[in-house]
């Protein structure tokens, strides 16, 4: 009896070990944005880089308003972050420095395919027509995981700008949704979360005290999840999200330095 139990036990360990060795490694990426308020703080910035690298991501996506028009900061990101690094432009970069941004980064929109995952880097400051054309050309119903990474909360019609290159988008989400419905799994936006999670003040132009403990928040429309991940001013917490993709499932976790 003891011999039989011992054989069963070793058989269990052998199969468990085989499962662990053959189990698929998740594809991991980190998304963050709105770094410019803290970008000159070398100590805080290095702490953020170290925390990001501790997660061993395959990709890092910086989603705008992060001084990407200035080559010295772009080079610092590339030097310090130990992952494949890509960018989406913010209104701060494009409002006055579009030429410099394109020269440094090399693109405004981009598509990256990694096995069954499609990352779509979207210039959310563009016109509605250009956005629809770009999405129409690069989205399909193939069954792969498709993720949009952009700066503005393209789904949020609560705050809007009258023209392009401003703090908020200038088009209604209803105009974009038909082109991503049933084709996109998630959208990550890197604009500041500050105006949505702050104390009210009597002065409508002033910001009240922020909820600094908020790492991200998520909305859902249809089957698409929409994540707002911008870090406000990054003080005292520079927040970001770590995302694992495994077996066609997306797992999101907030973190900070």
């Amino acid at each position: 009896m003891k011999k039989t139990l011992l054989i069963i036990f070793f058989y269990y360990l052998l199969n468990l070990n085989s499962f662990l060795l053959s189990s698929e490694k998740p594809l991991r990426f980190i998304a963050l944005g709105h770094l410019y308020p803290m970008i000159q703080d070398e100590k805080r910035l290095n702490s953020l880089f170290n925390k990001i690298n501790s997660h061993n991501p395959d990709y890092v996506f910086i989603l705008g308003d992060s001084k990407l028009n200035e080559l010295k900061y772009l080079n610092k990101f590339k030097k310090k972050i130990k992952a494949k690094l890509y960018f989406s432009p913010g209104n701060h970069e494009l409002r006055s420095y579009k030429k410099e941004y394109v020269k440094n980064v090399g693109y405004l929109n981009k598509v990256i395919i990694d096995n069954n995952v499609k990352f779509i880097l979207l210039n959310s400051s563009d016109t509605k027509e250009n956005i629809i054309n770009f999405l129409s050309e690069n989205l399909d119903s193939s069954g792969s995981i498709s993720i949009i990474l952009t700066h503005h909360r393209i789904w949020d019609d609560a705050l809007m700008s009258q023209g392009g290159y401003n703090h908020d988008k200038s088009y209604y989400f209803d105009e974009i949704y038909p082109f991503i419905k049933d084709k996109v799994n998630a959208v990550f936006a890197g604009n500041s979360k500050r105006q949505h999670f702050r104390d009210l003040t009597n002065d409508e132009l002033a910001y009240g005290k922020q909820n600094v403990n908020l790492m991200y928040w998520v909305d859902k429309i249809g089957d698409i999840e929409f994540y707002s991940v911008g870090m406000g001013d990054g003080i005292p917490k520079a927040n970001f999200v770590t995302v694992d993709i495994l077996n066609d499932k997306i797992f999101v976790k907030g973190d900070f330095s």
Side-chain angles (χ1 to χ4, degrees):
M1 182 66 178
K2 289 183 178 180
K3 185 177 180 180
T4 302
L5 289 174
L6 190 62
I7 292 172
I8 293 173
F9 176 73
F10 279 110
Y11 179 80
Y12 170 77
L13 286 180
L14 181 63
N15 280 274
L16 177 62
N17 187 55
S18 298
F19 171 77
L20 292 174
L21 289 175
S22 64
S23 61
E24 186 180 352
K25 178 182 179 291
L27 178 66
R28 173 171 292 178
F29 72 86
I30 283 175
L32 69 164
H34 206 267
L35 278 72
Y36 83 90
M38 55 166 281
I39 204 164
Q40 295 183 15
D41 189 331
E42 195 77 16
K43 182 177 179 181
R44 185 172 294 279
L45 203 59
N46 284 331
S47 177
L48 174 62
F49 293 148
N50 290 336
K51 192 62 177 288
I52 286 173
N53 291 333
S54 73
H55 288 281
N56 296 314
D58 299 292
Y59 295 90
V60 172
F61 298 104
I62 298 179
L63 306 181
D65 283 4
S66 300
K67 294 280 188 180
L68 301 172
N69 54 286
E70 294 191 33
L71 191 58
K72 63 179 180 179
Y73 294 118
L74 188 68
N75 288 337
K76 183 175 291 188
F77 293 145
K78 291 179 177 179
K79 180 180 179 180
K80 296 287 187 177
I81 293 176
K82 309 301 181 184
K84 297 173 185 176
L85 186 61
Y86 294 95
F87 310 92
S88 285
N91 53 286
H92 277 252
E93 285 105 0
L94 297 186
R95 184 182 301 147
S96 303
Y97 307 105
K98 182 178 180 180
K99 183 178 178 180
E100 291 85 350
Y101 177 91
V102 174
K103 181 180 178 180
N104 290 343
V105 175
Y107 54 85
L108 291 172
N109 298 297
K110 191 175 184 67
V111 176
I112 303 157
I113 298 175
D114 190 320
N115 292 323
N116 71 321
V117 180
K118 181 182 288 186
F119 297 111
I120 298 172
L121 296 159
L122 175 68
N123 172 19
S124 56
S125 290
D126 211 341
T127 65
K128 173 191 66 179
E129 291 75 17
N130 286 343
I131 288 174
I132 288 173
N133 288 337
F134 175 69
L135 292 174
S136 298
E137 291 173 2
N138 291 286
L139 284 175
D140 54 53
S141 303
S142 62
S144 61
I145 298 287
S146 293
I147 296 172
I148 293 177
L149 299 128
T150 189
H151 179 65
H152 294 102
R153 290 178 296 277
I154 60 172
W155 65 94
D156 184 1
D157 291 341
L159 291 173
M160 295 181 65
S161 299
Q162 291 185 351
Y165 308 114
N166 288 307
H167 188 272
D168 300 290
K169 65 186 178 66
S170 59
Y171 40 84
Y172 289 108
F173 182 61
D174 283 347
E175 300 169 317
I176 304 294
Y177 183 64
F179 298 92
I180 67 174
K181 181 183 178 183
D182 302 322
K183 297 177 182 178
V184 170
N185 300 85
V187 178
F188 292 83
N191 204 2
S192 171
K193 65 183 186 297
R194 176 166 52 189
Q195 74 273 34
H196 288 280
F197 292 88
R198 61 180 177 86
D199 292 340
L200 297 176
T201 68
N202 292 327
D203 182 356
E204 64 180 14
L205 299 178
Y207 288 119
K209 187 177 180 181
Q210 295 183 65
N211 175 3
V212 298
N213 298 308
L214 180 72
M215 299 295 102
Y216 71 92
W217 87 89
V218 59
D219 296 284
K220 189 160 186 175
I221 302 172
D223 293 325
I224 307 175
E225 293 186 340
F226 300 83
Y227 295 89
S228 187
V229 303
M231 67 175 63
D233 57 16
I235 300 172
K237 296 180 179 180
N239 57 283
F240 56 89
V241 293
T242 300
V243 186
D244 286 332
I245 304 174
L246 182 63
N247 297 328
D248 295 331
K249 301 293 183 182
I250 300 175
F251 305 92
V252 182
K253 181 179 178 182
D255 206 349
F256 68 94
S257 67

